[in-house]
């Protein structure tokens, strides 16, 4: 019997229930993973609330974690008992022990500890595709990151800065501004106190941004579009404030022949080769010191409701872990 968090009906944090359940042996192509750390991500709240449709009720939320392989099923050749591994795209993370497809796992370098891995896999690989694929950041670019002190935001700012961009970030408090400025952001805008479009115009002397990375959603649309120069790219990769339901395609032409995209990590790591390449690029950035991934909050798994509440109320910064 293992402890796991299950959702029997979608809703607020109160639907997260810690239960004990029997775990069968790993099936063909699976490994049994004893988890040492579980990543908490905003996307977890989308599945819990019903914004994103989960496979079936009841379900175990979460898609990111790290730990040690305890057993392997048939046809698994790349992983062995005792291997340290991590993953970011496999639903069912909120558990002490779980079975997981071996194809979702990557080996962890010895120099990266489990907690750092669990805190960075989803957020770090998201940042990787944003700066390397969705918009290939280069020296001289000006980028705006909405919620620059969030989990993705802090990694994204560091990576864009390392690639030579000028980084502008919006934050919700002076404390978060200090955190963002210490993590690769060149200019921090307090969006509760300032008109961020006006400040972007001031900072850039009216030239505006090449790309806006927007994980906030409803609260920053359509103003994010007004921060772009002609032919600029708006990247909507999250819905922290709620989903955008009134997208106006014609506004892209009216505001300067803009481009818009709504990418997701799953597409970028859909093949085994892409997953390994993306993870290795992230590991290299961490091992060389270009990116640091501090864990700012951690909660015992039994306090998962509080963790979700704090995340949704924007009381957290950076990366957050659940500890089995």
């Amino acid at each position: 019997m293992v402890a796991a968090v299950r959702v029997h009906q979608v809703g607020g944090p109160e639907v997260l229930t810690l239960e004990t359940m029997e775990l069968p042996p790993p099936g063909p192509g699976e490994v049994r993973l004893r988890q040492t750390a579980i990543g908490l991500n905003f996307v977890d709240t989308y599945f819990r609330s019903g914004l994103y449709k989960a496979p079936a009720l009841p379900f175990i939320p979460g898609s990111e974690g790290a730990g040690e392989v305890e057993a392997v099923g048939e046809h698994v050749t790349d992983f062995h008992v005792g291997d340290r591994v991590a993953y970011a795209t496999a639903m069912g993370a909120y558990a002490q022990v779980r079975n997981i497809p071996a194809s979702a796992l990557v080996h962890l370098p010895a120099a990266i500890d489990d907690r750092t891995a669990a805190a960075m896999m989803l957020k770090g690989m998201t940042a990787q595709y944003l700066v390397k694929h969705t918009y290939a950041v280069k020296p001289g670019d000006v980028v705006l990151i909405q919620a620059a002190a969030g989990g993705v935001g802090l990694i994204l700012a560091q990576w864009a800065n390392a690639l030579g961009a000028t980084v502008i970030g919006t934050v919700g408090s002076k404390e978060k501004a200090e955190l963002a400025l210490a993590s690769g952001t060149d200019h921090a805008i307090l969006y509760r106190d300032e008109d961020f479009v006006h400040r972007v115009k001031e900072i850039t002397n009216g030239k505006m941004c090449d790309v806006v990375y927007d994980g906030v959603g409803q609260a920053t649309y359509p103003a994010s579009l007004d921060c772009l120069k002609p032919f600029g790219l708006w990247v909507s990769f999250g819905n922290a404030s709620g989903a955008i339901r009134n997208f106006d395609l014609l506004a892209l032409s009216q505001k300067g022949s803009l481009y818009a995209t709504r990418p997701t990590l799953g597409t970028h790591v859909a093949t085994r080769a892409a997953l390994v390449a993306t993870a290795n690029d992230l590991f290299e950035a961490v091992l060389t010191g270009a990116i640091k991934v501090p864990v700012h909050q951690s909660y015992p798994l039994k306090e998962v409701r509080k963790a979700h509440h704090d995340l949704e109320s924007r009381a957290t910064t950076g990366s957050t872990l659940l500890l089995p």
Side-chain angles (χ1 to χ4, degrees), residues 107-270:
H107 291 279
L108 279 178
I112 296 179
D113 65 87
D114 290 10
R115 293 193 179 191
T116 298
M120 76 178 187
M121 291 301 295
L122 190 146
K123 291 174 278 290
M125 291 199 297
T126 295
Q128 194 275 348
Y129 82 70
L130 288 174
V131 299
K132 295 291 188 74
H133 298 281
T134 306
Y135 180 90
V137 174
K138 58 188 182 300
D141 282 341
V142 179
V143 310
L144 172 64
I145 300 172
Q146 300 284 17
V152 174
L154 288 176
I155 298 175
L156 188 56
Q158 293 177 76
W159 214 325
N161 182 286
L163 291 170
T166 296
V167 180
I168 305 171
T170 63
V171 295
S173 67
K174 291 182 179 179
E175 293 75 19
K176 289 186 176 182
E178 292 175 1
L179 178 60
L181 290 170
S183 302
T185 298
D186 298 294
H187 306 274
I189 300 172
L190 296 169
Y191 69 84
R192 291 192 175 100
D193 304 328
E194 306 173 278
D195 179 334
F196 70 79
V197 177
H198 178 70
R199 283 291 293 125
V200 166
K201 186 174 292 186
E202 287 184 336
I203 292 167
T204 63
N205 294 317
K207 295 180 180 179
M208 311 311 279
C209 302
D210 296 280
V211 59
V212 173
Y213 293 114
D214 192 338
V216 175
Q218 193 177 85
T220 49
Y221 175 82
S224 281
L225 300 179
D226 295 321
C227 296
L228 289 165
K229 61 178 61 172
F231 310 112
L233 174 63
W234 175 57
V235 184
S236 175
F237 68 93
N239 321 281
S241 67
I244 296 169
R245 304 194 184 279
N246 60 335
F247 180 71
D248 181 4
L249 189 63
L250 189 59
L252 300 180
S253 65
Q254 296 168 339
K255 295 178 182 293
S257 297
L258 303 179
Y259 295 88
T261 186
R262 183 43 169 102
T264 184
L265 176 61
T267 313
H268 289 81
V269 296

Side-chain angles (χ1 to χ4, degrees), residues 273-314:
L275 171 63
V276 172
T278 302
N280 285 343
D281 197 23
L282 172 61
F283 295 156
E284 182 180 2
V286 172
L287 293 172
T288 60
I291 295 171
K292 294 179 174 58
V293 189
V295 176
H296 291 165
Q297 304 84 205
S298 61
Y299 301 79
L301 188 58
K302 65 182 179 181
E303 294 183 11
V304 63
R305 293 180 180 179
K306 176 174 171 51
H308 271 236
H309 175 270
D310 290 351
L311 181 65
E312 290 181 295
S313 62
R314 302 193 184 185

